[in-house]
Amino acid sequence: VKTRTFEPRSLLRVELKSLLDGLIRDFKTFGPTEIDGVPAFSGLGAYTDLRLDLIPTHLSAREFLQPPKERLLDFDLTNEKKSLANTAVIEAPEQVLVGLKPCDINALKLMDMVMEAGVPDVNYLHRRANTVVIGADCMPDKDCFCASVGTDRAEDGFDLFIHLLKRGVVVRVGTSRGIKLLKKYGAWGRRASKVEKVRVDKFYEQKANAFTARLKCAPEELPGIFAASDESPVWNEIGNICTGCGSCNHVCPTCYCFDIQDELSTDLKSGARFRVWDGCTLDDFTLVAGGHNFRKSRAERLRHRFNRKFNYGAMVYGSLFCVGCGRCSRTCLVGINITEVANSIIEEVRGKSGEKT
């Protein structure tokens, strides 16, 4: 989605309600709700279902753009004309994602970069084009460290971004589509005042001071530090307690690895090809023909995962692939904490080189 700078708008709460109720009525709309005491994305039936004040959801919004199981192809095994035997499937319904936090919006930008590179992923890109993205502010919990990787704010990558003030709402507009939606649903409001903009800035100052989880180096230093960490004992330490469940992969908003699986009909005359989520911490991720596994231990797999987030992405795409959402720390069954592990690596590598931590 192409973005440019638009003047922020000031809305009344009733105008925000009009906007969101209209979107919920006209589109499949998903946003953060509270389910069994846990923040989670779910379908919205009304404005009152939405909870914009929650920390990042335990699962990211990745599932709405790259589903856990996605049909790619239908095939007919009885058709002698092979060119007509396969039918590509692209399912990209119009949808709205409300309440994405800055870290998640920055994650979407990274996913867009990956899916547009090389041979474009048409399934993802069609779905992305048909998705309205509406962001919302948040305050960090004990696991959030987005400020350490520069993703605590979202400057683009959204159609609209909501700032809830004590009185009223400031909405930043990211796209012309966002403008059309505000006008369509009677939420055009007025141009935000200087005072309202200052209040938004003050919120970000409060947010910056609220982080308790922080990395001990600047983000641009992380690729070099992790490149020098191959022999660190930290990998065996966390590898010895890791269960290899893959939770960290599946909650991460920037993981995109997948497996391809074919399913046949019971009469063996037709079938479908599916793309399903995969993860580098799973035992069979690097299992190849002949039973060889070139990352046999969980320590090796965790080392690879951390490098994917803090090193390899920077080499290929010029960006870290961790947005500091803290989801992997919140959901790890054995308490492996990404901030603590990263800081251990930082201290070790800097200690060897004689640098100050």
Side-chain angles (χ1 to χ4, degrees), residues 17-139:
K17 181 179 183 299
S18 174
L19 168 68
L20 295 176
D21 275 338
L23 292 171
I24 291 167
R25 182 183 65 245
D26 294 345
F27 301 94
K28 287 185 177 180
T29 303
F30 305 91
T33 62
E34 190 169 353
I35 301 175
D36 297 328
V38 175
F41 277 106
S42 61
L44 300 176
Y47 170 72
T48 51
D49 295 339
L50 183 65
R51 289 287 305 277
L52 293 177
D53 59 334
L54 297 174
I55 60 171
T57 54
H58 281 215
L59 294 174
S60 75
R62 171 191 170 197
E63 62 178 295
F64 301 106
L65 295 165
Q66 187 191 23
K69 184 176 182 180
E70 179 181 12
R71 194 184 199 97
L72 298 179
L73 183 72
D74 292 324
F75 51 85
D76 180 2
L77 299 176
T78 65
N79 194 324
E80 294 181 359
K81 295 182 179 180
K82 300 302 180 184
S83 61
L84 301 178
N86 300 329
T87 304
V89 176
I90 299 178
E91 297 175 346
E94 290 186 318
Q95 59 183 354
V96 179
L97 301 181
V98 183
L100 270 69
K101 308 308 182 188
C103 59
D104 284 331
I105 292 173
N106 281 288
L108 279 183
K109 291 165 62 179
L110 293 172
M111 291 288 282
D112 293 348
M113 192 187 310
V114 171
M115 298 304 179
E116 290 171 350
V119 178
D121 189 307
V122 294
N123 292 68
Y124 173 92
L125 294 175
H126 274 77
R127 197 173 285 109
R128 181 72 171 94
N130 284 344
T131 301
V132 173
V133 174
I134 301 178
D137 276 329
C138 60
M139 290 295 283

Side-chain angles (χ1 to χ4, degrees), residues 38-271:
V38 175
F41 277 106
S42 61
L44 300 176
Y47 170 72
T48 51
D49 295 339
L50 183 65
R51 289 287 305 277
L52 293 177
D53 59 334
L54 297 174
I55 60 171
T57 54
H58 281 215
L59 294 174
S60 75
R62 171 191 170 197
E63 62 178 295
F64 301 106
L65 295 165
Q66 187 191 23
K69 184 176 182 180
E70 179 181 12
R71 194 184 199 97
L72 298 179
L73 183 72
D74 292 324
F75 51 85
D76 180 2
L77 299 176
T78 65
N79 194 324
E80 294 181 359
K81 295 182 179 180
K82 300 302 180 184
S83 61
L84 301 178
N86 300 329
T87 304
V89 176
I90 299 178
E91 297 175 346
E94 290 186 318
Q95 59 183 354
V96 179
L97 301 181
V98 183
L100 270 69
K101 308 308 182 188
C103 59
D104 284 331
I105 292 173
N106 281 288
L108 279 183
K109 291 165 62 179
L110 293 172
M111 291 288 282
D112 293 348
M113 192 187 310
V114 171
M115 298 304 179
E116 290 171 350
V119 178
D121 189 307
V122 294
N123 292 68
Y124 173 92
L125 294 175
H126 274 77
R127 197 173 285 109
R128 181 72 171 94
N130 284 344
T131 301
V132 173
V133 174
I134 301 178
D137 276 329
C138 60
M139 290 295 283
D141 71 353
K142 65 180 180 61
D143 293 312
C144 295
F145 63 101
C146 54
S148 293
V149 289
T151 59
D152 50 329
R153 296 193 186 203
E155 302 301 333
D156 55 15
F158 54 82
D159 295 289
L160 300 169
F161 195 98
I162 298 169
H163 301 272
L164 295 177
L165 305 178
K166 288 183 178 180
R167 293 183 180 180
V169 184
V170 168
V171 175
R172 280 190 292 140
V173 181
T175 64
S176 56
R177 178 165 64 180
I179 288 178
K180 291 176 182 177
L181 291 174
L182 290 177
K183 291 181 176 180
K184 177 179 179 180
Y185 294 108
W188 185 234
R190 57 174 173 77
R191 182 176 296 183
S193 68
K194 184 177 180 180
V195 170
E196 288 169 323
K197 293 177 185 178
V198 168
R199 287 174 182 162
V200 171
D201 290 338
K202 285 185 176 179
F203 169 85
Y204 280 118
E205 291 176 9
Q206 294 172 352
K207 180 176 180 177
N209 293 325
F211 285 92
T212 57
R214 298 177 184 272
L215 298 184
K216 295 182 177 181
C217 74
E220 59 269 19
E221 298 177 75
L222 288 165
I225 286 172
F226 275 85
S229 73
D230 281 1
E231 303 304 320
S232 172
V234 171
W235 306 126
N236 282 327
E237 291 171 12
I238 60 175
N240 287 336
I241 61 173
C242 175
T243 64
C245 68
S247 291
C248 52
N249 292 122
H250 291 155
V251 300
C252 179
T254 63
C255 278
Y256 52 85
C257 291
F258 59 85
D259 190 13
I260 296 294
Q261 298 176 358
D262 289 344
E263 295 183 9
L264 297 177
S265 61
T266 53
D267 60 8
L268 303 182
K269 293 182 179 180
S270 62

